[in-house]
Amino acid sequence: MEEVKKKKDFLLIKLFIGIVLGIIIGNYANEALINVIQSAKYIFNQIIAFMIPLIVLGFIAPAITDVGQGASKMLGTLFLIAYLSSLFAALLSMTLGYAIIPHFNIPTSVEALRKLPEIVFKLDIAPIFPVISALFLAVFLGLAVVKTKSTYFTGLFSELNNIMLFLVNNVVVPILPFYIGTTFATLSYEGTIIKRVPVFLIVILMAIIIHIVWISILYIIGGILNKVNPFKVLRHYGPAYMTAVGTMSSAATLPVALKCAGKSNVLHRDVINFAIPMCSTIHLCGSVITESFFVMTVSKMLYGTLPSLPTMILFIILLCVFAVGAPGVPGGTVVASLGIIASILGFDQDGLALVVAIYALQDSFGTACNITADGALALILQGVFKKDFQNI
């Protein structure tokens, strides 16, 4: 676990370095240098865009087949509860976004000091298929494999998941600091980025507050269903929360989360052993809270308006689907959903990079929210099925 922690911390440091160096270099760059930076940024964007449909297929389809392999009413219910938790968490974030973001002092018409030159070199890497096609393909194939009980394709999807996880860790994640750095360099070259930095700190604080609100709601629901004090579970989750903050990894935090949940005399042992590991993979309420709030902020920041209500609802519905099968890496949800941010919300390269950047800055708190809320979902599941866990 210590090794994982160092790796995640190093990634966070690289992201900070990319942002700082990007701002500094962009502030002093001449036209020739900014041309090189723009070309690099374009290529990084093309690589990420190419990988997104493959990520969708490689993570969502195996997630469906895994559920099918252990098919039971209880598992399906937990899957539904996790999705609904993420969905309503994102809707809460959206509602607060519409109420709060218009009051932020967000500069939307800052005049650029310099105009970006035309990109000299472009390398177009077309995705194999659109991201929405990948989503439907993943869902249909996953369900078909479960229905036909195909052991061959179940194993194939499992291997595909391992391959895509390798590519995400060794291709997508390593280039993110450079992608973010080149984006901030171009924004700094234009002369607008300095006036927007304070907004980042405000929205990160707001996201953490929404995390706390949603965790409280889930634990209250769990307490009502079980007719117990939910604090008897929540009070043990301090070590898991801090581990998640330090590692930014649900997988690395899982052993600590199991230990914390096990200290409660409210949760049944079968509930803990069943729900906590499963939720660490499929329950990402903190991540969708953050991303929903951040895309609205970036839309206001870069494009002058908030997305329309129907557009945001469609985005959130799809975002929560992506979150269920998001890669088990830092920023997995936002990386997997870049396609729908572009296709549904209409973000350009600058918008995508800004979302990734501010998301990365708070990723540890989003993971901590996910892990802490898993205890509430275990409590809710126990309340729904009562003593049925004794028969697992």
Side-chain angles (χ1 to χ4, degrees):
M1 183 179 298
E2 196 65 34
E3 181 180 348
V4 174
K5 181 176 180 179
K6 291 179 180 178
K7 181 178 179 181
K8 307 309 180 187
D9 287 345
F10 186 51
L11 172 62
L12 185 59
I13 291 172
K14 288 194 291 186
L15 293 172
F16 272 111
I17 292 175
I19 293 172
V20 173
L21 288 181
I23 293 174
I24 295 174
I25 293 173
N27 191 51
Y28 294 100
N30 56 26
E31 185 171 324
L33 179 57
I34 208 66
N35 255 321
V36 174
I37 292 174
Q38 282 197 105
S39 297
K41 171 186 166 184
Y42 186 88
I43 294 173
F44 293 144
N45 175 262
Q46 290 291 297
I47 294 173
I48 293 174
F50 175 81
M51 294 295 296
I52 288 170
L54 300 177
I55 292 172
V56 171
L57 180 61
F59 283 91
I60 291 184
I64 294 174
T65 57
D66 286 344
V67 171
Q69 289 172 341
S72 69
K73 187 177 180 180
M74 220 170 290
L75 185 58
T77 302
L78 181 59
F79 207 90
L80 178 62
I81 292 173
Y83 177 80
L84 291 177
S85 172
S86 295
L87 179 65
F88 284 108
L91 290 175
L92 171 64
S93 181
M94 178 197 73
T95 302
L96 294 177
Y98 280 122
I100 297 172
I101 294 175
H103 301 288
F104 286 170
N105 184 23
I106 299 177
T108 59
S109 58
V110 182
E111 295 184 0
L113 301 179
R114 288 176 286 186
K115 184 178 180 180
L116 288 171
E118 292 292 328
I119 300 178
V120 176
F121 176 76
K122 293 183 178 180
L123 178 63
D124 293 318
I125 310 172
I128 297 176
F129 33 65
V131 64
I132 298 300
S133 299
L135 173 60
F136 277 89
L137 180 63
V139 171
F140 288 143
L141 284 180
L143 292 175
V145 169
V146 171
K147 192 67 176 179
T148 60
K149 300 179 181 179
S150 172
T151 56
Y152 174 79
F153 274 95
T154 297
L156 189 65
F157 282 156
S158 179
E159 291 297 321
L160 177 61
N161 181 267
N162 291 334
I163 292 170
M164 290 313 305
L165 184 59
F166 173 83
L167 290 176
V168 167
N169 278 304
N170 294 277
V171 176
V172 178
V173 171
I175 69 175
L176 282 178
F178 298 99
Y179 178 44
I180 293 171
T182 54
T183 297
F184 273 80
T186 56
L187 293 173
S188 178
Y189 180 87
E190 289 179 301
T192 61
I193 189 62
I194 298 300
K195 295 185 178 180
R196 288 168 174 165
V197 167
V199 179
F200 293 173
L201 301 179
I202 295 174
V203 297
I204 289 173
L205 178 60
M206 286 304 307
I208 295 174
I209 292 175
I210 301 174
H211 291 166
I212 296 172
V213 171
W214 186 246
I215 289 173
S216 302
I217 291 174
L218 288 178
Y219 272 98
I220 290 172
I221 294 173
I224 292 173
L225 289 176
N226 288 272
K227 298 180 180 180
V228 298
N229 181 1
F231 186 70
K232 291 182 178 180
V233 178
L234 180 60
R235 68 189 180 94
H236 297 291
Y237 260 85
Y241 188 94
M242 294 309 300
T243 302
V245 169
T247 64
M248 291 187 288
S249 170
S250 297
T253 311
L254 180 56
V256 181
L258 287 167
K259 183 177 180 180
C260 292
K263 291 181 179 179
S264 171
N265 59 3
V266 171
L267 286 175
H268 191 280
R269 173 57 57 182
D270 287 335
V271 177
I272 297 171
N273 292 339
F274 173 78
I276 300 300
M278 187 66 184
C279 286
S280 70
T281 302
I282 66 173
H283 186 221
L284 302 174
C285 61
S287 300
V288 298
I289 284 173
T290 300
E291 187 168 340
S292 300
F293 197 82
F294 284 2
V295 296
M296 295 177 73
T297 303
V298 172
S299 179
K300 179 68 172 178
M301 181 184 297
L302 292 186
Y303 313 120
T305 60
L306 295 175
S308 66
L309 180 60
T311 299
M312 274 302 299
I313 291 177
L314 175 60
F315 169 75
I316 285 173
I317 291 172
L318 292 178
L319 172 63
C320 293
V321 174
F322 280 93
V324 170
V329 296
T333 305
V334 72
V335 170
S337 64
L338 287 178
I340 59 171
I341 296 176
S343 61
I344 294 180
L345 301 181
F347 280 24
D348 57 16
Q349 293 184 22
D350 289 347
L352 294 176
L354 277 175
V355 171
V356 172
I358 57 178
Y359 186 97
L361 294 179
Q362 67 73 58
D363 191 24
S364 58
F365 294 101
T367 302
C369 175
N370 296 337
I371 287 293
T372 305
D374 289 348
L377 255 64
L379 197 58
I380 292 173
L381 190 70
Q382 178 174 283
V384 172
F385 286 95
K386 304 297 181 182
K387 299 179 181 180
D388 289 353
F389 270 100
Q390 296 176 356
N391 301 322
I392 294 180

